Amino acid sequence: MEARLAEEEDKRKKVEEAEMKRQAAQKKAKENKSKQVKKRANSGRLTMRTQQKSKEQLEQEKSIAMSVRVPPIMGADDMGSSEMLSKIDELWKLIVKRETEK
């Protein structure tokens, strides 16, 4: 009878030890995971900071894009003032349209 009780006690201790080890491993894995998540979040913030452009850079890119999108005025020397104003108005509408498409 005592041998059986001792056996059960040993078994219970082994089960408790195994459970403690399992919980410790689970806690360690959870801590490592949270550290990885923090690292990923911080790395995203760093890349966002490096990707931000200054106002001058944005203006320069905008002017380059608009020069490609908006055709130059052909035959401006031969146009009268009313024709020139209508052409300017037409181009202005085109610029506004392209800007609002973004």
Side-chain angles (χ1 to χ4, degrees):
M1 187 78 163
E2 288 180 22
R4 189 173 175 186
L5 289 175
E7 233 179 79
E8 286 180 8
E9 185 67 26
D10 287 340
K11 215 179 204 184
R12 187 181 58 79
K13 284 182 182 180
K14 287 182 181 180
V15 169
E16 285 177 358
E17 287 175 12
E19 180 65 20
M20 289 176 66
K21 286 181 183 178
R22 185 190 67 80
Q23 286 179 357
Q26 189 177 21
K27 184 178 179 182
K28 187 175 181 180
K30 188 176 181 181
E31 288 173 359
N32 286 340
K33 186 177 180 181
S34 67
K35 286 179 184 177
Q36 289 175 349
V37 168
K38 287 179 184 177
K39 284 181 183 178
R40 288 182 191 147
N42 288 336
S43 68
R45 289 185 191 130
L46 291 175
T47 56
M48 282 181 62
R49 287 182 194 151
T50 58
Q51 289 178 352
Q52 289 180 344
K53 299 177 181 176
S54 68
K55 288 183 181 180
E56 293 83 19
Q57 288 173 325
L58 291 173
E59 280 296 318
Q60 185 180 20
E61 288 179 3
K62 184 177 175 181
S63 66
I64 292 170
M66 292 307 288
S67 68
V68 171
R69 291 181 184 174
V70 179
I73 299 175
M74 295 293 178
D77 297 334
D78 301 333
M79 291 183 186
S81 62
S82 62
E83 291 174 331
M84 185 70 78
L85 287 174
S86 66
K87 187 69 173 178
I88 291 171
D89 188 45
E90 178 184 325
L91 288 175
W92 178 251
K93 288 178 183 177
L94 180 63
I95 290 170
V96 170
K97 179 183 173 190
R98 299 272 168 97
E99 282 292 314
T100 56
E101 286 177 356
K102 292 182 185 178

